[in-house]
């Protein structure tokens, strides 16, 4: 079974060595030489495993481990180390890495271990799919909206229809896509996710359909596309609403004919890939505006799964907080207690514009900053300068939840005012670094550039101040 591996090492020869070994074993790989490049790569793609070197020149690879564990929870982390750094590698495993090996280890041994780490659990006998408990445990909540989502997934378990997942950013669209895959007869096969908004148009076609050697300047060898790699498996096309029109035409042809044409190829390749598409956009508006092909929309719109925003399932906040508390207590070796009734009430009174992603980040902050193992609301919302009792901890004109002037605005205006202030503040903190802005906000770069344009924010002004 093919897989997608991210290699992080500052030694070009080491990268070439492992890339060649992985290629011979049928794996795709992407190479990075520093932690910033690693973060960008993880924000744009899903990887089955990350090979992380502990010594990245002037950087400590250990500093990148928390980011991988947080932003690529399904990826196995394999630490690369020299013979005299084994103690650090063991520390990485205690913090969540899956395995380590010293440089110079036989590539065959590495590939064998990698295969064992990436093996999927066997599904229920006779069905080819997974037990419901396996995928249901990934969808936290018992509210009516989440139960309806689970009911839809259950109905899809024996069919192979194309699915369109709709929901705001941060609601867990990829989690739902993986649940659909895990509940299906394809559960033991390949699952891959690709972000259509994060990859330049000239590279996206090659990522999807592959290319032949010599088809363009950097095409030094044949490369399989994700459709071919996921044949018989499932492919999530995330942020499908941002796919360029030219590629929409080619995608429609693939869905109709079940064949792909790699860049530079003269013959097509049959594929049996199941497609799940996801977007936070209103697709009917995208079709009306001409930004999205109507025929492709109807081809994708076979079964629709609507993911509820967190503000519409606030009764699940307690379960989600408990889930994230357990996760971060284990990761950081903490024993932070469940929130008090007053704290939980405060959390349920907030609308969570960033949805589950924002809640997860808030719980992580609360665990990291906790004093006496108490989950404190002021720590969870420290990025918004909200104090323990709701008062502003700065005098820059921000207010409590109760007396904020935004409550006197129409809802749309209030959201826009907050969004502009939020983006501006993060730009100041990141000195105009768009990759850092994307990481901190949990939004894709394409979304951020649209916000900057909408609010007439000049990113260069923040870069000049650095």
């Amino acid at each position: 079974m093919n897989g997608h591996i991210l290699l992080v090492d500052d030694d070009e020869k080491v990268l070439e060595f492992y890339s060649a070994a992985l290629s011979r074993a049928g794996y795709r790989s992407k190479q990075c030489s520093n932690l910033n490049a690693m973060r960008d790569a993880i924000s744009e793609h899903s990887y089955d495993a990350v090979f992380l070197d502990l010594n990245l020149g002037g950087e400590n690879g250990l500093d990148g481990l928390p980011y991988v564990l947080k932003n690529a929870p399904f990826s196995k982390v394999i630490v690369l180390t020299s013979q005299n750094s084994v103690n650090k590698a063991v520390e990485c495993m205690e913090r969540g890495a899956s395995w380590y090996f010293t440089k110079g280890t036989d590539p065959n041994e590495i590939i064998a271990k990698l295969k064992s780490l990436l093996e999927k659990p066997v599904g229920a006998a006779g069905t080819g799919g997974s037990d419901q408990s396996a995928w249901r445990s990934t969808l936290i909540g018992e509210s009516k909206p989440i139960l309806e989502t689970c009911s839809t997934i259950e109905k899809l378990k024996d069919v192979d229809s194309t699915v369109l997942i709709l929901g705001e950013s941060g609601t867990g669209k990829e989690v739902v896509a993986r649940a659909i895959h895990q509940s299906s007869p394809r559960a033991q096969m390949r699952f891959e996710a690709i972000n259509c908004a994060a990859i330049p148009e000239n590279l996206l076609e090659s990522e999807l359909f592959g290319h032949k050697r010599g088809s363009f300047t950097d095409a030094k060898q044949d490369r399989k596309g994700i459709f071919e790699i996921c044949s018989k498996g499932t492919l999530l096309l995330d942020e499908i609403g941002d796919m360029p029109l030219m590629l929409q035409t080619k995608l429609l042809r693939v869905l109709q004919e079940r064949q792909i044409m790699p860049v530079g190829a003269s013959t097509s390749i049959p594929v049996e890939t199941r497609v799940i598409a996801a977007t936070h956009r209103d697709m009917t508006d995208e079709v009306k505006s001409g930004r999205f092909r109507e025929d492709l929309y109807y081809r994708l719109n076979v079964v629709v799964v609507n993911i509820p925003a967190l503000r519409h399932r606030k009764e699940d906040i307690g379960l989600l907080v408990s889930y994230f508390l357990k996760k971060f207590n284990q990761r950081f070796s903490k024993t932070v207690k469940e929130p008090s009734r007053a704290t939980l009430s405060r959390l349920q009174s907030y609308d969570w514009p960033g949805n589950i992603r924002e809640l997860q980040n808030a719980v992580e902050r609360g665990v990291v900053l906790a004093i006496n193992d108490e989950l404190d609301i002021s720590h969870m919302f420290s990025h918004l300068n909200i104090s323990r009792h709701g008062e502003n901890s700065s005098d820059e004109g921000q207010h409590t939840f109760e007396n904020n002037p935004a409550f006197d605005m129409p809802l749309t205006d209030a959201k826009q005012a907050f969004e502009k202030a939020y983006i501006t503040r993060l730009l100041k903190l990141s000195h105009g670094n768009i990759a850092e802005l994307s990481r901190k906000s949990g939004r894709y770069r394409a979304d951020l550039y649209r916000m900057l344009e909408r609010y007439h924010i000049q990113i260069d002004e923040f870069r000049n101040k650095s």
Side-chain angles (χ1 to χ4, degrees):
M1 187 192 313
N2 289 307
H4 199 180
I5 314 300
L6 180 63
L7 300 173
V8 188
D9 197 300
D10 64 332
D11 188 326
E12 186 174 343
K13 291 184 178 179
V14 170
L15 289 172
E16 291 177 356
F17 175 78
Y18 289 122
S19 180
L22 289 167
S23 180
R24 288 193 297 270
Y27 292 91
R28 289 193 309 150
S29 64
K30 179 178 175 61
Q31 303 175 10
C32 296
S33 60
N34 56 63
L35 294 181
N36 276 338
M38 179 198 76
R39 295 184 188 103
D40 287 348
I42 288 174
S43 72
E44 294 173 357
H45 296 282
S46 292
Y47 295 92
D48 292 278
V50 178
F51 283 25
L52 179 61
D53 185 18
L54 286 184
N55 184 12
L56 293 170
E59 294 182 300
N60 184 353
L62 188 60
D63 294 338
L65 182 61
Y67 182 87
V68 179
L69 295 174
K70 175 181 176 182
N71 294 279
F74 295 99
S75 300
K76 304 294 184 183
V77 182
I78 299 171
V79 172
L80 313 182
T81 183
S82 59
Q83 195 68 43
N84 60 358
S85 299
V86 172
N87 289 339
K88 285 187 178 180
V90 173
E91 180 184 350
C92 286
M93 293 187 68
E94 292 174 348
R95 294 191 183 188
S98 301
W99 186 54
Y100 77 91
F101 61 83
T102 58
K103 294 182 179 180
T105 301
D106 185 342
N108 293 325
E109 180 183 336
I110 295 171
I111 296 302
K113 181 64 177 181
L114 178 62
K115 287 181 178 179
S116 70
L117 288 172
L118 299 184
E119 283 180 354
K120 302 287 195 303
V122 178
T127 66
S130 303
D131 190 323
Q132 179 184 359
S133 61
W135 64 262
R136 181 61 179 92
S137 63
T138 65
L139 300 177
I140 310 300
E142 297 294 339
S143 63
K144 182 178 179 181
I146 203 67
L147 291 177
E148 289 175 350
T149 299
C150 292
S151 175
T152 302
I153 294 173
E154 180 68 18
K155 293 173 184 176
L156 289 168
K157 69 178 184 179
D158 296 320
V159 300
D160 217 13
S161 302
T162 302
V163 179
L164 179 61
I165 302 176
L166 303 176
E168 297 177 6
S169 293
T171 50
K173 295 187 288 296
E174 182 170 341
V175 173
V176 171
R178 288 182 180 274
I180 292 171
H181 171 73
Q182 291 166 2
S183 70
S184 75
R186 296 174 180 251
Q188 310 309 315
M189 307 307 292
R190 176 100 174 115
F191 176 93
E192 182 71 60
I194 187 168
N195 186 329
C196 300
I199 304 175
E201 181 176 351
N202 62 325
L203 297 179
L204 183 56
E205 182 178 6
S206 175
E207 287 289 328
L208 290 173
F209 309 128
H211 63 251
K212 304 298 287 183
R213 179 181 179 183
S215 56
F216 51 86
T217 304
D218 294 327
K220 298 178 181 178
Q221 58 185 8
D222 290 357
R223 181 180 179 184
K224 292 181 179 180
I226 290 180
F227 263 96
E228 186 176 358
I229 289 172
C230 285
S231 189
K232 301 185 183 300
T234 304
L235 172 60
L236 169 63
L237 296 175
D238 200 6
E239 299 305 340
I240 188 73
D242 293 281
M243 177 176 278
L245 279 167
M246 181 272 290
L247 286 180
Q248 291 178 29
T249 302
K250 295 188 176 184
L251 175 60
L252 177 63
R253 189 177 303 120
V254 171
L255 295 177
Q256 291 173 336
E257 301 175 3
R258 295 291 179 179
Q259 294 182 333
I260 59 169
M261 181 72 75
V263 178
S266 56
T267 56
S268 58
I269 300 172
V271 292
E272 300 177 33
T273 314
R274 182 189 192 175
V275 171
I276 299 176
T279 182
H280 71 281
R281 298 192 177 281
D282 185 325
M283 292 304 289
T284 55
D285 285 348
E286 295 299 303
V287 170
K288 289 178 182 177
S289 68
R291 291 188 294 269
F292 201 85
R293 290 184 60 114
E294 184 176 22
D295 46 4
L296 177 57
Y297 171 62
Y298 288 120
R299 188 78 188 188
L300 295 170
N301 192 27
V302 177
V303 178
V304 176
V305 178
N306 286 288
I307 310 301
L310 187 53
R311 63 183 174 276
H312 298 315
R313 44 177 294 217
K314 289 188 174 182
E315 58 267 48
D316 290 334
I317 287 177
L319 292 173
L320 287 163
V321 170
S322 295
Y323 173 80
F324 292 132
L325 263 179
K326 181 179 179 181
K327 172 183 175 180
F328 293 121
N329 274 333
Q330 289 178 343
R331 180 178 300 177
F332 301 125
S333 299
K334 296 255 192 169
T335 54
V336 178
K337 304 169 189 173
E338 292 285 330
S340 67
R341 185 171 300 178
T343 297
L344 182 57
S345 178
R346 292 287 299 281
L347 295 177
Q348 291 175 328
S349 70
Y350 181 56
D351 269 349
W352 300 101
N355 292 294
I356 296 175
R357 184 185 293 123
E358 184 183 7
L359 176 62
Q360 175 176 315
N361 291 342
V363 175
E364 181 176 2
R365 271 192 301 274
V367 170
V368 170
L369 301 175
I371 299 173
N372 297 325
D373 287 341
E374 298 288 342
L375 199 61
D376 192 317
I377 200 78
S378 66
H379 295 154
M380 299 180 73
F381 290 95
S382 60
H383 63 306
L384 298 179
N385 294 319
I386 297 172
S387 74
R388 181 188 307 270
H389 302 293
E391 292 86 8
N392 190 330
S393 59
S394 73
D395 52 3
E396 296 178 358
Q398 296 179 4
H399 301 267
T400 67
F401 286 137
E402 291 76 16
N403 63 10
N404 194 306
F407 283 100
D408 296 325
M409 301 180 188
L411 180 58
T412 299
D413 294 344
K415 285 182 177 179
Q416 291 178 350
F418 171 79
E419 192 171 68
K420 182 177 181 180
Y422 176 81
I423 294 298
T424 300
R425 182 175 183 275
L426 289 188
L427 279 170
K428 290 179 181 177
L429 294 174
S430 63
H431 301 297
N433 185 316
I434 196 69
E436 184 72 4
L437 178 62
S438 176
R439 184 181 68 82
K440 288 184 175 181
S441 65
R443 299 297 293 269
Y444 299 121
R445 294 187 186 194
D447 287 337
L448 293 172
Y449 281 122
R450 290 189 189 93
M451 290 182 194
L452 296 177
E453 183 178 358
R454 182 188 309 146
Y455 298 124
H456 307 291
I457 299 173
Q458 299 297 322
I459 195 170
D460 289 340
E461 295 180 4
F462 298 91
R463 289 170 176 162
N464 293 337
K465 293 176 181 179
S466 64

